[in-house]
């Protein structure tokens, strides 16, 4: 029977949750790196016991960790993230120009084919890559030249938080930045193009044709259709059917089209999941009811999934990297909250159970389906 392993990053350490394929009894390991903010942990698709983790602290800065045994032991790897050349400036909150400064790694994306190759998304926004298992990291400086002086931070900073690798084309990568937008490369990172046509941000960008400056919260794709993208934006749930060349809204009957995570069912490319919250100032579920919404039609038509989730007095948030799906049948869906709960569904989202309730605030959730 398969094993499911959840990699959970929190404000005060990392936790590893494991269960068999039934997904009804879970073991909890942790906290690893207790007291540290663990922005993201992710395993290699080709060597599942090779894990990478981004560890950060306001006192001690950024640390990168690697495990070769599924998280039982860890080693510190290379931690030098230097912008290539002269970084220049980007727009600041007050409209002035501000020097580029490295703060932390928001997201890690291991290669689909090589366990020693990993992409890392940074704040201030930049994309780095290692090809030696994390010992050294090199930036893709051409990304910053994609109108970088116009980029500006969102409320949480100017972080590169989404990295999607096209499984059918190793030269194609999608990334998203808060609050600059989505970008795509078709040549392995040598050049980048904005991928924001159709996005509307009337409060932040009076120009309806603005190429950069949109606050994209998260992008997802299904491996069988990497040219179809789904986006949770700062207001609006969006879809692209042409690899990000253009987008159209699919918010439909959602109670709010504001939220952070979005994910796609493992076996149904038209089934997507979001977690709406009330607004950009009230980061909690509408009416205090924690509801995951599922569309089986690729958007527009949404149903609330509530069974097993609190339906009153619930005021938590679910952050952009805190949702994941496994590859079992039926598909499992998992998410963590800022209240420290991790919920799981073993039946495509029809019913939910709390896997653990009292962790520190959850920053990220990733899942591995192991033999």
């Amino acid at each position: 029977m398969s094993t499911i392993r959840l990699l959970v990053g929190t404000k005060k350490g990392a936790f590893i949750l494991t269960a068999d394929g039934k997904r009804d009894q879970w073991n909890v390991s942790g906290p690893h790196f207790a007291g540290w903010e663990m922005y993201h942990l992710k395993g290699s698709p080709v060597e599942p016991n090779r894990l990478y983790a981004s560890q950060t602290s306001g006192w001690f800065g950024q640390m990168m960790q690697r495990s070769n045994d599924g998280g039982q032991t860890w080693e510190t790897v290379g931690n030098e993230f230097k912008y290539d050349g002269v970084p220049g400036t980007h727009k600041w909150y007050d409209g002035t120009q501000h020097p580029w400064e490295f703060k932390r790694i928001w997201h890690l994306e291991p290669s689909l084919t090589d366990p020693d190759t990993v992409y890392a998304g940074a704040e201030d926004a930049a994309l780095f890559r290692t090809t030696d298992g994390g010992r050294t990291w090199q930036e893709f400086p051409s990304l910053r030249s994609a109108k970088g002086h116009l980029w500006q931070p969102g409320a949480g900073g100017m972080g590169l938080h989404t990295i999607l690798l096209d499984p059918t084309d190793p030269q194609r990568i999608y990334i998203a930045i808060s609050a600059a937008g989505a970008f795509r490369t078709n040549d392995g990172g040598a050049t980048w193009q904005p991928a924001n046509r159709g996005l509307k941000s009337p409060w932040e960008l009076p120009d309806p044709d603005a190429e950069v400056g949109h606050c994209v919260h998260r992008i997802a794709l299904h491996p069988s259709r990497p040219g179809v993208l789904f986006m949770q934006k700062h207001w609006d749930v969006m879809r692209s059917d042409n690899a990000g060349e253009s987008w159209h809204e699919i918010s439909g009957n959602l109670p709010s089209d504001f939220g952070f995570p979005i994910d796609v069912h493992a076996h149904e490319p038209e089934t997507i999941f979001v977690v709406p919250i009330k607004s950009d100032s009230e980061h909690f579920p509408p009416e205090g009811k924690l509801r995951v919404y599922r569309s089986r039609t690729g958007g527009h038509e949404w149903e609330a999934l509530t069974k097993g989730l609190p339906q009153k007095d619930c005021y938590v948030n679910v952050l952009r990297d805190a949702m994941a799906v496994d590859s079992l049948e039926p598909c499992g869906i998992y998410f963590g909250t800022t209240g420290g709960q991790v919920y799981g569904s073993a039946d495509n989202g029809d019913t939910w159970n709390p896997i653990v309730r009292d962790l520190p605030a959850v920053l990220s959730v990733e899942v591995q389906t192991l033999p």
Side-chain angles (χ1 to χ4, degrees):
M1 179 178 287
S2 297
T3 298
I4 295 298
R5 181 160 64 202
L6 291 182
L7 308 174
V8 181
T10 80
K11 291 279 283 186
K12 292 294 181 180
F15 296 82
I16 300 177
L17 317 178
T18 53
D20 62 24
K22 294 180 180 178
R23 295 163 288 186
D24 56 1
Q25 299 291 326
W26 292 83
N27 295 315
V28 180
S29 169
H32 305 269
F33 316 108
W36 287 75
E37 291 187 359
M38 303 303 296
Y39 262 62
H40 196 222
L41 299 86
K42 196 159 188 178
S44 165
V46 287
E47 284 188 19
N49 282 331
R50 171 72 67 84
L51 309 181
Y52 294 90
S54 171
Q55 169 189 2
T56 188
S57 159
W59 291 102
F60 303 110
Q62 170 76 40
M63 300 284 284
M64 297 300 297
Q65 302 286 345
R66 185 183 74 193
S67 174
N68 295 317
D69 54 15
Q72 297 180 57
T73 61
W74 295 85
E75 60 179 317
T76 302
V77 289
N79 196 51
E80 187 174 6
F81 293 89
K82 293 180 66 174
Y83 296 112
D84 190 79
V86 178
T89 62
H90 61 78
K91 196 174 182 180
W92 195 237
Y93 295 102
D94 60 4
T96 64
Q97 288 294 302
H98 188 82
W100 232 277
E101 298 176 283
F102 177 83
K103 298 178 178 66
R104 60 183 64 85
I105 294 298
W106 277 37
H107 183 90
L108 295 164
E109 195 65 33
S111 162
L112 302 177
T113 57
D114 177 14
D116 287 331
T117 296
V118 185
Y119 298 84
E123 179 191 354
D124 284 340
L127 182 65
F128 291 84
R129 180 178 63 184
T130 179
T131 57
D132 56 14
R135 287 191 291 273
T136 61
W137 299 86
Q138 295 80 39
E139 191 205 1
F140 290 86
S142 57
L143 175 60
R144 280 187 291 111
S145 68
K147 300 186 183 296
H149 66 287
L150 297 177
W151 297 359
Q152 58 186 325
M158 195 176 72
L160 195 160
H161 53 68
T162 300
I163 305 169
L164 298 178
L165 308 178
D166 186 330
T168 65
D169 182 354
Q171 296 298 302
R172 175 169 285 180
I173 304 171
Y174 304 94
I175 62 96
I177 298 168
S178 176
F183 299 82
R184 184 189 69 207
T185 180
N186 295 320
D187 53 19
T191 60
W192 296 83
Q193 303 82 40
N196 302 302
R197 188 177 295 116
L199 303 186
K200 298 179 176 63
S201 304
W203 291 278
E204 300 88 6
L205 298 172
D207 178 4
D209 299 316
E211 201 171 39
V212 299
H214 299 277
C215 192
V216 176
H217 286 177
R218 184 70 170 163
I219 306 175
L221 60 76
H222 193 277
S224 70
R225 296 192 311 174
V228 177
L229 305 175
F230 299 99
M231 176 191 291
Q232 174 66 69
K233 188 177 152 288
H234 188 115
W235 302 111
D236 303 330
V237 180
M238 308 292 289
R239 173 180 177 143
S240 172
D241 292 296
N242 52 14
E245 288 292 333
S246 62
W247 297 86
H248 59 276
E249 187 176 355
I250 56 170
S251 305
N253 62 320
L254 288 171
S256 166
D257 57 10
F258 192 94
F260 287 97
I262 189 167
D263 222 325
V264 186
H265 192 286
H267 313 297
E268 301 171 9
E270 286 290 289
T271 298
I272 50 179
F273 302 89
V274 296
V275 184
I277 55 176
K278 189 173 179 183
S279 72
D280 51 0
S281 61
E282 296 172 281
H283 283 190
F284 51 77
E287 305 175 61
K289 299 177 180 180
L290 182 57
R291 293 169 287 188
V292 177
Y293 276 76
R294 177 178 64 197
S295 173
R296 293 189 183 273
T297 57
H300 296 299
E301 300 168 347
W302 298 87
E303 58 181 322
L305 308 176
T306 62
K307 190 172 182 180
L309 299 177
Q311 294 305 293
K312 64 176 183 177
D313 305 326
C314 184
Y315 297 96
V316 298
N317 192 9
V318 180
L319 301 181
R320 71 184 87 238
D321 242 343
M323 175 177 273
V325 299
D326 69 32
S327 59
L328 296 184
E329 183 63 65
C331 181
I333 302 98
Y334 311 89
F335 68 91
T337 79
T338 55
Q341 301 85 23
V342 178
Y343 290 96
S345 170
D347 55 11
N348 304 304
D350 290 339
T351 62
W352 299 86
N353 289 291
I355 297 173
V356 63
R357 290 184 180 274
D358 299 313
L359 300 184
V362 175
L363 301 177
S364 64
V365 174
E366 293 288 351
V367 63
Q368 296 179 286
T369 307
L370 309 173

